[in-house]
Amino acid sequence: MTENTKIAIKIDHVSKLFHRQKQRTFKELIPALIGGEKAVETFWALQDINLEIKKGETLGIIGPNGSGKSTLLKLIAGVSKPTKGSITVNGRVAPLIELGAGFHPELTGRENVFLNGVILGMSRKEIKAKFQEIVDFAELWDFIDQPVKHYSSGMYLRLAFAVAIHTEPEILLVDEILAVGDASFQEKCFKKIEELKNNGVTIVMVSHSMPSVQKYCQRVAYINFSNLVAIGDTKEVCAKYQADIMNK
Amino acid sequence: MKRMPMLDSFTKYRELLNELTMREIKQRYKQSVLGYAWVILNPFFQMIVMSFVFSIIMRIPNLGVPYPIYLYAGLLPWTLFSNSLTSAANALVGNAGLITKIYFPREIFVISTILAKIVDFVLALSIFVVFMIFYHIPITWYILWVIPIFAIQQLFTYGLSLFLAAANLFYRDIQYLLSLIILIWMYLTPVIYSTELFPAKYRWIFQINPMSVIINAYRQVILAGDMPNLRSLAIALVLSVLLLIGGYKFFKKLEGVFADVV
């Protein structure tokens, strides 16, 4: 194996500049322009991040709110482009960020499974083959032909999670979603993630929960004020983060 | 063969495009009692009301064919055009949840919403066919010209839609401004009147307005059973292609920051 094939994600001197547009309407923009106000305000959400994630590795990303964790995840998912530097991703990425974004309330569970599955990069044929497995996982046998607007929020999330987890991702991006459903369903999700992990899936997990980071991650990256503060052994980095919180 | 990323939406992402188009179509008929009937009823009643106003009250002179069908031949493609633009302007804003979540070419949102409007148009066409039969309008081989004319209309619509969808993400005023522009644009296009009724010295406006060329061409090939004005059509085609290239470049240039601003 060459060096290249062992790396799932290579983040090379990545910086992200955000343009915060203050005026969203002409009514706001025109007086601002006349008044000589700047139309956009900029700030660096990430600065010079270097990170290599190996295939099959589970990496945790921790840090306070607004530190740039989710931005980094968006860059890996490819929805946002880095201002400087480059990101190389080898493999199919399935994001578990804000689950169910592709669901439409008027459509039935069945229709939404196909819609979301295709959005996540599966073909209709693959979804058909996995359909029963998805419904079984979500435990929604009696409701699958109901419009999802009649679902409880727990049912909704269960179905969304079931679709995302069955896309056979090579790289799974997890953003604080492990609060899905009740305790028994959570247990099932963790088991499934564990299973994917054992199958060699690369997992990048953003979390505020130290116990789950410590339980799953081999390595942890700690981001604060847009910078990568520390990367390395889970215990050490988590300890450093907790010490920083205490000292604040 | 040279790779054409502009066509990826129709090849590599065909299934996704399909699903998103179906979502647009399904959500409509599920939300209302009459569902898809509205797609046919809306332009139909609009045509009835306008026919009454313009042929009975305003008394538009004889245009060679009965006014209702003359109007309908222009109103249907115009409605397709204006509905496409309006929904395309919201195509990105309305899918904010997906844009911040997962990557695929963003123009798929724009294309799927236009495709859904084309389905509406085809359904609304059924009443037009009934009118054609009712008024005994003879059908000639020239009617096949409808296909290239329709293609030019779609190129023009798509190019303009790409500009609107991206711009509306940055300034939400675009969608309100758009409804005003569409209203003015309709009166500057021979939809409810014919080119001949327009003052001759201002007719150059129609030359640079692809929608007027397109609507005139439809009427020429369907109602008059004659050749369309090829010179005007060629200008419209060139304008549409240029607009599409510009729109696509503009859209793709901004695509990287869509997820940041939405």
Side-chain angles (χ1 to χ4, degrees), chain B residues 103-161:
Chain B
Y103 179 75
F104 48 81
R106 303 311 187 199
E107 64 269 25
I108 289 181
F109 290 120
V110 178
I111 301 171
S112 67
T113 186
I114 294 176
L115 285 180
K117 297 298 168 207
I118 292 177
V119 173
D120 291 0
F121 169 76
V122 170
L123 288 171
L125 219 52
S126 57
I127 298 237
F128 181 74
V129 173
V130 172
F131 268 68
M132 289 279 284
I133 297 164
F134 180 77
Y135 284 114
H136 302 289
I137 308 284
I139 302 212
T140 64
W141 284 108
Y142 289 106
I143 205 160
L144 290 177
W145 273 100
V146 163
I147 297 162
I149 299 167
F150 186 76
I152 295 171
Q153 184 184 344
Q154 289 318 307
L155 288 179
F156 183 64
T157 305
Y158 182 34
L160 205 52
S161 295

Side-chain angles (χ1 to χ4, degrees), chain B residues 6-7 10 80-81 85 110 114 118 147-163 210-211 214 218 233-234 236-248:
Chain B
M6 210 175 187
L7 298 176
F10 301 99
L80 169 64
F81 175 69
L85 291 189
V110 178
I114 294 176
I118 292 177
I147 297 162
I149 299 167
F150 186 76
I152 295 171
Q153 184 184 344
Q154 289 318 307
L155 288 179
F156 183 64
T157 305
Y158 182 34
L160 205 52
S161 295
L162 287 172
F163 274 111
M211 278 317 288
I214 288 164
Y218 279 129
L233 216 49
L237 175 63
V238 170
L239 278 176
S240 303
V241 170
L242 290 178
L243 186 78
L244 179 55
I245 293 169
Y248 187 77

Side-chain angles (χ1 to χ4, degrees), chain A:
Chain A
M1 232 195 269
T2 61
E3 201 51 41
N4 214 9
T5 54
K6 282 188 215 158
I7 304 290
I9 303 163
K10 187 177 162 68
I11 299 168
D12 192 19
H13 294 284
V14 162
S15 299
K16 177 73 189 180
L17 184 69
F18 268 140
H19 298 265
R20 221 178 345 206
Q21 190 188 1
K22 284 197 294 186
Q23 301 88 16
R24 268 309 167 86
T25 61
F26 291 156
K27 191 180 145 203
E28 289 161 0
L29 175 69
I30 292 162
L33 287 179
I34 293 168
E37 228 179 284
K38 264 200 276 179
V40 284
E41 210 171 65
T42 59
F43 77 104
W44 288 96
L46 288 172
Q47 278 181 321
D48 200 31
I49 306 284
N50 285 296
L51 196 57
E52 273 185 2
I53 304 168
K54 291 189 214 62
K55 281 204 170 147
E57 183 181 26
T58 302
L59 178 92
I61 300 177
I62 57 173
N65 285 329
S67 57
K69 302 184 303 284
S70 296
T71 305
L72 186 59
L73 221 50
K74 280 185 187 171
L75 291 175
I76 296 173
V79 296
S80 182
K81 296 266 175 289
T83 315
K84 284 193 221 160
S86 69
I87 295 193
T88 321
V89 178
N90 300 311
R92 175 148 108 178
V93 180
L96 288 186
I97 322 162
E98 294 155 42
L99 279 169
F103 276 23
H104 194 279
E106 296 290 336
L107 303 184
T108 67
R110 183 185 299 274
E111 289 168 327
N112 270 306
V113 166
F114 279 94
L115 175 62
N116 233 29
V118 172
I119 287 171
L120 289 171
M122 283 199 278
S123 70
R124 273 193 78 88
K125 222 172 113 191
E126 284 176 88
I127 304 164
K128 230 178 230 166
K130 289 209 166 150
F131 187 76
Q132 201 49 47
E133 217 179 304
I134 292 169
V135 178
D136 288 345
F137 191 89
E139 298 166 23
L140 287 169
W141 307 282
D142 299 334
F143 298 94
I144 199 67
D145 288 311
Q146 297 266 328
V148 299
K149 65 178 174 186
H150 298 315
Y151 282 21
S152 71
S153 55
M155 287 156 74
Y156 196 90
L157 287 172
R158 256 152 57 197
L159 190 63
F161 187 87
V163 177
I165 210 89
H166 285 91
T167 54
E168 286 189 7
E170 291 162 286
I171 299 161
L172 190 66
L173 306 179
V174 185
D175 189 2
E176 282 307 351
I177 51 91
L178 300 172
V180 174
D182 55 19
S184 80
F185 189 74
Q186 267 186 43
E187 191 52 43
K188 206 169 164 181
C189 294
F190 276 119
K191 247 193 209 149
K192 187 77 193 177
I193 289 181
E194 194 71 44
E195 190 190 311
L196 292 172
K197 212 174 126 179
N198 293 335
N199 290 343
V201 174
T202 311
I203 299 172
V204 182
M205 187 186 268
V206 166
S207 185
H208 282 116
S209 149
M210 289 302 127
S212 55
V213 168
Q214 284 174 344
K215 192 172 167 195
Y216 290 102
C217 303
Q218 290 135 354
R219 275 204 309 160
V220 167
Y222 167 26
I223 295 180
N224 201 1
F225 296 114
S226 317
N227 285 290
L228 184 64
V229 179
I231 168 112
D233 176 69
T234 303
K235 263 205 186 116
E236 280 169 34
V237 178
C238 285
K240 185 176 165 50
Y241 175 47
Q242 267 157 340
D244 279 1
I245 297 173
M246 290 301 176
N247 294 336
K248 222 182 344 194

